[in-house]
């Protein structure tokens, strides 16, 4: 795509969001029962390609277990209230009741409590005892402090998630910089890392040995990075660029396939469908799962950016509660706006366009709406 002249000294490439693209049926249709939504990363196989975003409003040990039993992957935020407090339920209830003008300051106080290694161990053990795949998330700035505790607890997958993640995180706070290539090489568990939104950044992360790459800045509707930092990337273009990096790395590495996982702007089932059409292998869901009545956010959604101690760049966002997690995933949907029965919608989209599985669906035609 040619650059567009913004002014005499700056050119830019046009990017497209999910709202700018539409999926086009071009083949025969098929019955929904013939659609296979299974997804695999490394040795771990899932019935549906849905990952619960590691935020306290979406994933508790209980909801991670519930999502795992429903066929997806729940990722616990290992820097959240579940690893800072023995009983975080009263604090989660308090966050849900905070007036808007007090939310940021009070959440900063709540999240100032130190992370406790014994709680990391206990929470991951609780998930493991339920018999589902165990996954925990750390930020690049904290991973070197806590990864040994996480590994000792017996995690199956590790997620390193931040607003923007590079192949080397540089720190000036006295700790050694995180060299992802060396770090991942020395681990015995698969690592999902991100977010990135460009071809080059994604290719660098793939070369570190990551099993999966998150596309997006995380946070989605709860993020204010666009307003605070001026950073934003339209997701349809970002996924397509990272999918191109996956293809080129597959050739470069002699056949190593890295999973592309969309993370952001996935508020409805239609957005989820378009993420797969643009090249995603799986999706990380925040707002969509926060709508469950059994989500720990109690009708609110927020990410770690909302309580950053120095520069908060996220909000606590009100979401409409639709039903429990099973209703959000499998229906029957009480509304017709794509916010519930997410699995059924994805299955129907593939059946309507004639595809049997997500990997095939990535090749579907799309058109621009403007």
């Amino acid at each position: 795509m040619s650059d567009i002249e913004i002014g005499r000294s700056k050119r830019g490439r046009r990017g497209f969001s999910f709202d700018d693209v539409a999926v086009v049926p071009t083949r025969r249709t098929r019955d929904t029962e013939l659609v296979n939504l299974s997804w695999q990363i490394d040795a771990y196989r899932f019935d549906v390609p849905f990952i619960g975003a590691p935020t306290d409003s979406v994933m508790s040990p209980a909801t991670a277990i519930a999502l795992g039993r429903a066929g997806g992957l729940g990722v616990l935020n290992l820097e959240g209230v579940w690893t800072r407090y023995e009983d975080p339920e009263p604090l989660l209830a308090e966050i849900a009741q905070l007036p808007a003008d007090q939310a940021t300051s009070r959440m900063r106080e709540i999240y100032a409590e130190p992370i406790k290694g014994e709680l990391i161990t206990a929470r991951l053990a609780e998930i493991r005892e339920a018999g589902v795949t165990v996954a925990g998330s750390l930020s690049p700035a904290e991973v070197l402090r806590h990864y040994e505790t996480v590994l000792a607890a017996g995690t199956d997958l590790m997620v390193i998630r931040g607003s923007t993640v590079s192949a080397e995180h540089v720190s000036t706070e006295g700790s050694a910089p995180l060299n992802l290539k060396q770090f991942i090489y020395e681990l015995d568990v698969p690592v999902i890392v991100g977010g990135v939104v460009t071809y080059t950044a994604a290719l660098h992360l793939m070369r570190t040995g990551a099993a999966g790459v998150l596309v997006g800045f995380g946070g989605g509707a709860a993020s204010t990075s666009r307003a605070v930092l001026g950073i934003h990337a339209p997701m349809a273009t970002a996924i397509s660029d990272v999918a191109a990096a996956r293809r080129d790395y597959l050739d470069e590495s002699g056949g190593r396939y890295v999973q592309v996982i969309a993370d952001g702007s996935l508020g409805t089932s239609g957005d989820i469908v378009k993420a797969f059409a643009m090249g995603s292998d799986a999706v990380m869901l925040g707002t969509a799962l926060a709508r469950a009545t059994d989500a720990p956010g109690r009708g609110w959604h927020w990410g770690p950016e909302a309580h950053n101690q120095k520069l908060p760049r996220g909000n606590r966002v009100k979401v409409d509660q639709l039903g429990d997690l099973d209703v959000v995933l499998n229906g029957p949907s009480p509304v017709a706006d794509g916010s519930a029965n997410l699995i059924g919608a994805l299955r129907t989209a593939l059946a309507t366009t004639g595809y049997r599985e997500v990997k095939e669906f990535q090749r579907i035609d799309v058109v621009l709406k403007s």
Side-chain angles (χ1 to χ4, degrees), residues 66-86:
L67 182 56
R69 289 174 173 168
L73 172 65
V75 182
L76 188 67
N77 175 18
L78 300 180
E79 299 173 43
V81 292
W82 292 96
T83 59
R84 297 175 191 264
Y85 298 92
E86 282 283 353

Side-chain angles (χ1 to χ4, degrees), residues 286-308:
T287 302
L289 299 186
R291 297 190 181 107
T293 54
D294 45 353
R298 296 164 169 79
W300 293 88
H301 177 45
W302 66 90
E305 302 88 357
H307 49 77
N308 185 282

